[in-house]
Amino acid sequence: MTASDEAVSVRLGPVDQIPVGEGRAFLVGDEPVAVFRPRSGGLHALRAICPHRGGPLADGLLDGEVVMCPLHNHRFELASGACVSGGDVDDVAAYSADDDDGELVVSLVAP
Amino acid sequence: MTATLGTEQEAGTPEPDRAKLVVVGNGMSGARALEEILTRGGADRFDITVFGDEPYGNYNRILLSEVLANAAGAAVDNEDADGWDPDELFLNPTDWYAENGITLHAGVRIVRIDRHAKVVMGDDGSVTPYDTLVLATGSRSFFPPMDGMWASKTDLTPGVFGFRSLDDANAMLDHVAGARTAVVIGGGLLGLEAAAGLQAHGLAVHVVHPTEVLMNQQLEAGASKVLRSKLEDMGMHMHLGVKTSEILVTDGAVSGVRFTDGSDLDCDMVVVTAGIRPNIGLAMVSGLETQRAIVVDDRMRSVDDDDIFVVGECAQHRGEVYGVVGPLWEQAAVLADVITGADPDAAYHGSRLTTKLKVAGVDVAQMGVKTPERESDEFVQFSETGRGVYQTVIIRDGTLIGATLVGDVSKVAALTQAFDSRSALPEERVKLLFDLGSADDSASAADLPDDTQICNCNGVSKGDLVGCVHDGAETVSACMDATRAGKGCGSCKGLVREVVEAALGGAGAEDPAESYYVPGIPLDKPALMQEIRSQELKSVSAVFAALAPEGRDDVASKMGLTALLRMMWPEDYVDERDGRFINDRVHANIQRDGTFSVVPRMSGGVTSPDQLRRIADVADKHEIPMVKLTGGQRIDLLGVPKEKLQEVWADLEMPSGWAYGKSFRTVKTCVGTDFCRFGLGDSTRLGIDIEERFKGIEGPAKMKLAVSGCPRNCAESMVKDVGIVAVEGGRWQIYVGGAAGATIRKGDILATVDSHDEAVLITGRFLQYYREHANWLERTYDFVPRMGLDYLIGVIVDDVEGIAAELDERMQEAVDAYVDPWAADQQEATPGQFHDALPLIPLPQVPVRASEGAPA
């Protein structure tokens, strides 16, 4: 998918508002988005709501690969939103997140 | 294969030459050792070469009797009732070696080791250097010396067979078509399997055994008798207490056998299963210490040479030589730990043997000793010869030390568990063998219908788990990952294991990950703690960097590591908030809608009008959706949004009750001597003092306590992690390992003490020992039986290891380092610590419940 001009792209302030190794939730247009900042580097954005039972993904533990929903430990790939924990849970939407000279930019397009 | 892999790696990283690992022997133990080495990253560390003198990839020798029996196309009475799939026989086909960059020389026999030059020499003239050598030469059939056995120095008389290799089985299969009567010499396990296989081909089968006891390695006389009569019912002929003196040969082929009493028996086929002998010739000529087999130390190393390891039937460890697979698996794991450096201090301590098999349709299970050995040993015996059932259980000092089951093995899972874990046994010993009317949910897992729900938290059925095995899962944890079975409350894990193992047709692949403290670091808890201490790793990220494969962090390991580090370094732990679960980041328990529950500390369940007034005011002011009494005698304010937590804490002016952590939770008390007319001890005071002292202490799992003022036990002390009961005479009984949640277990009495202070001390010492030695998420109800009550009493009460003072001291450090998290985090610890994680969703989503029955 190409990042079309129509895609909502929002500057959300300093990247440092997300502690290293954690996630924080933001609103991009009407979409709740969880942005993660793994210790291994980079930024990843997923829809903030777990497709299993609506858990807050921004509150989840994460590593370099996945975030784990705090309610039932379902895991989703940070890069793609794919659910990797089994048990027939849908994937979660993944969005593009970038560090633009210290500022967090999220677009509602696939990363 | 090898070369390609090597080249690629060298191109990527200019490393020095990799070490050379040579494995001699490609049977089950050699192959298992290789697999274990590979799972520990051995392929990155070694160039691996394997020699096997059979011209195949490695195969499952246990299935040889099925090869024999199933080729008959007859109904087969063997472990795997689904029949034999040729693909199952080969554990690893030759492709597997190539895929893993291993050079396989099948059909090459190693004839000498030059330990000074560090090379092995093959019978094809090859000379192969090694840095580390693994000997897995296995064993061979023993052929007792007798006339007629051999046609030449190397060839058996036509019609005489060993039963050891695939070639043996195939040769027998070639022969059975024209044969009518077979004699099996040796009525041990292998002999009876061979006999059953031959009978399936329609042969009349005679078993000759030198003692009156069939399978005398595993069975005592009573059990053997039942087995014998069952086999005879099936048409097998038994010649017991009889020796064969000669094999009769006519026209160069077998025509019969002669017994030592002079009588003859006509036959056209003889199978010799008179035992096995370790293959130790190579070790002997190469100057390694051999007795019955090659002598090894606890690291599975030859006692003569640190670079030579030995595994399997050719190894003699502490005087024992094992011939069944269980011990080989354990040895292979230790050897791989040491060789790859995954755990250089891994040690093999010998195996406790459990045998379970089906001999010609008869189920037999045996573990531990066969007969009582001391006057004081308890012996429970049940015999129902009409039905062919015979069962015995032997107990010493309250611990199961042996069991034999013939004909009915439905209790084998529970017995094995009691045997392996040395856990507590029912007072009525006969319950070990019979259910006595109670429903039994652990009835043989293999017999459960497919739609039986195994995991009640995640709705996983037996069929789901079996399907997982059919799709290729090889371990219990792989099935758990794929289906989420056992990932809820965890109380079904034992049953999940039974179902998966039954589906795998045995214990399945050894899963080293099961012993890891956390999944992302390949070390068990003692090894992990040792590394953390010696390398002074004080943060979660430092542990990953130093100890995880490729330094990778792992989401499922963070919480366990955080808890461990906080326990190990109470003062100078480096706090990384991202290593904590959300509950521990915001000191409250997350609810289904993303709100939190707030439980202030109310030590011993004692509160005051002033506290209640404040709690009521807070509930009103913040429109708390529900105010509820907890099972731990406290008050829970449910449905508080994250952004409001700090404000609620401030308004409460009460400290955290830690109702969210893997930590010391509450001490439930009764009203004791102050008010109760039955009270024998001041349980309220003791409960409050214990809670005030150990509040918030973190551990591997939550710790719930209780103190009761008399044996009426109103605080339910017998089902707590630590439960204390006042008894007459001013004394306190201390129970540990109780539970009444997902699991129900009555606690065991750790000690009876004389004073309040002593009760506090022993409680703290037990908790500290538990914190240091329990696995992550292992509650005391699993920990206490795993360690064994006697052992815990020795360490904690009698101080036999002399560590009591250190335990007390370390607990004191933890107590001294305590900080109330609600007070500390009135200032944000990280940016956005209390920010809403579900923007746009109006919280709470949980229903707001007015007090039922309150006036409208």
Side-chain angles (χ1 to χ4, degrees), chain B residues 779-796:
Chain B
R779 292 286 301 269
T780 61
Y781 58 75
D782 283 328
F783 175 75
V784 169
R786 175 166 72 84
M787 302 306 291
L789 180 65
D790 293 346
Y791 178 75
L792 287 174
I793 291 172
V795 173
I796 291 161

Side-chain angles (χ1 to χ4, degrees), chain A residues 12 17-18 22-28 31-36 46-49 56-59 104, chain B residues 642 832 835-840:
Chain A
L12 293 166
Q17 67 194 301
I18 308 172
E22 294 191 36
R24 290 288 181 260
F26 300 87
L27 213 46
V28 178
E31 181 73 347
V33 175
V35 183
F36 303 99
L46 303 175
R47 182 174 161 80
I49 303 170
L57 293 182
D59 282 345
L104 171 63
Chain B
K642 205 194 318 173
H835 276 192
D836 186 6
L838 291 170
L840 270 199

Side-chain angles (χ1 to χ4, degrees), chain B residues 834-848:
Chain B
F834 296 99
H835 276 192
D836 186 6
L838 291 170
L840 270 199
I841 296 183
L843 292 180
Q845 291 272 300
V846 290
V848 178

Side-chain angles (χ1 to χ4, degrees), chain A residues 23-79:
Chain A
R24 290 288 181 260
F26 300 87
L27 213 46
V28 178
D30 289 337
E31 181 73 347
V33 175
V35 183
F36 303 99
R37 195 178 171 198
R39 279 184 181 266
S40 48
L43 289 167
H44 298 280
L46 303 175
R47 182 174 161 80
I49 303 170
C50 178
H52 176 232
R53 293 279 176 83
L57 293 182
D59 282 345
L61 282 160
L62 55 130
D63 59 23
E65 304 291 323
V66 297
V67 59
M68 184 159 79
C69 176
L71 293 193
H72 305 100
N73 296 352
H74 279 288
R75 295 183 212 179
F76 301 90
E77 278 183 0
L78 294 174

Side-chain angles (χ1 to χ4, degrees), chain B residues 821-837:
Chain B
W822 288 0
D825 280 9
Q826 280 297 335
Q827 301 290 321
E828 274 192 342
T830 56
Q833 183 185 2
F834 296 99
H835 276 192
D836 186 6

Side-chain angles (χ1 to χ4, degrees), chain B residues 218-521:
Chain B
Q218 290 87 12
L219 301 182
E220 42 83 37
S224 171
K225 212 178 221 168
V226 173
L227 177 63
R228 173 188 179 172
S229 69
K230 284 209 107 174
L231 294 174
E232 284 177 338
D233 287 348
M234 298 171 61
M236 231 177 252
H237 305 280
M238 294 294 164
H239 305 263
L240 305 188
V242 173
K243 282 190 183 164
T244 319
S245 62
E246 184 181 350
I247 292 174
L248 304 175
V249 181
T250 309
D251 298 335
V254 167
S255 62
V257 295
R258 176 161 295 157
F259 300 124
T260 41
D261 63 4
S263 62
D264 290 353
L265 177 65
D266 289 345
C267 68
D268 32 31
M269 176 166 187
V270 173
V271 179
V272 182
T273 50
I276 55 173
R277 294 291 180 272
N279 290 320
I280 55 174
L282 173 63
M284 286 171 78
V285 301
S286 307
L288 298 176
E289 167 83 4
T290 56
Q291 292 168 9
R292 282 188 299 145
I294 309 166
V295 181
V296 297
D297 63 15
D298 286 355
R299 309 250 181 287
M300 300 310 298
R301 270 187 317 225
S302 157
V303 291
D304 300 297
D305 193 326
D306 282 355
D307 296 321
I308 300 183
F309 291 75
V310 187
V311 64
E313 294 177 317
C314 59
Q316 177 176 334
H317 173 264
R318 299 191 186 176
E320 294 286 335
V321 180
Y322 297 95
V324 288
V325 289
L328 314 191
W329 284 184
E330 294 171 31
Q331 293 175 355
V334 170
L335 170 146
D337 274 340
V338 176
I339 285 183
T340 59
D343 179 5
D345 299 321
Y348 176 68
H349 300 296
S351 296
R352 281 157 73 85
L353 292 179
T354 309
T355 317
K356 181 168 179 270
L357 62 142
K358 213 165 190 163
V359 186
V362 185
D363 282 307
V364 177
Q366 204 282 326
M367 61 199 77
V369 303
K370 293 183 281 186
T371 50
E373 294 169 345
R374 297 184 195 165
E375 286 271 308
S376 57
D377 288 349
E378 293 176 58
F379 186 52
V380 183
Q381 190 175 20
F382 173 78
S383 171
E384 191 182 342
T385 42
R387 202 159 58 93
V389 174
Y390 181 88
Q391 302 175 319
T392 65
V393 167
I394 301 155
I395 297 160
R396 179 175 302 162
D397 301 335
T399 306
L400 184 67
I401 60 164
T404 302
L405 306 174
V406 177
D408 174 0
V409 296
S410 57
K411 281 301 199 181
V412 70
L415 286 168
T416 307
Q417 216 244 330
F419 178 69
D420 288 342
S421 66
R422 300 170 165 86
S423 59
L425 303 176
E427 293 287 327
E428 278 182 82
R429 307 304 198 200
V430 70
K431 283 186 180 162
L432 286 164
L433 297 175
F434 303 104
D435 296 325
L436 299 179
S438 67
D440 178 16
D441 57 7
S442 66
S444 178
D447 300 335
L448 293 171
D450 270 1
D451 58 0
T452 308
Q453 183 153 301
I454 303 292
C455 174
N456 287 326
C457 290
N458 289 325
V460 183
S461 70
K462 179 190 170 191
D464 297 335
L465 288 168
V466 172
C468 212
V469 170
H470 290 159
D471 292 346
E474 291 178 351
T475 61
V476 177
S477 54
C479 290
M480 286 171 56
D481 286 344
T483 62
R484 303 185 62 73
K487 302 245 172 181
C489 73
S491 63
C492 64
K493 278 184 188 167
L495 194 52
V496 170
R497 166 176 301 279
E498 284 185 45
V499 167
V500 173
E501 289 185 349
L504 286 167
E510 186 78 5
D511 187 358
E514 279 180 25
S515 66
Y516 300 165
Y517 172 72
V518 287
I521 312 267

Side-chain angles (χ1 to χ4, degrees), chain B residues 162 550 596:
Chain B
E550 295 162 40
F596 291 83

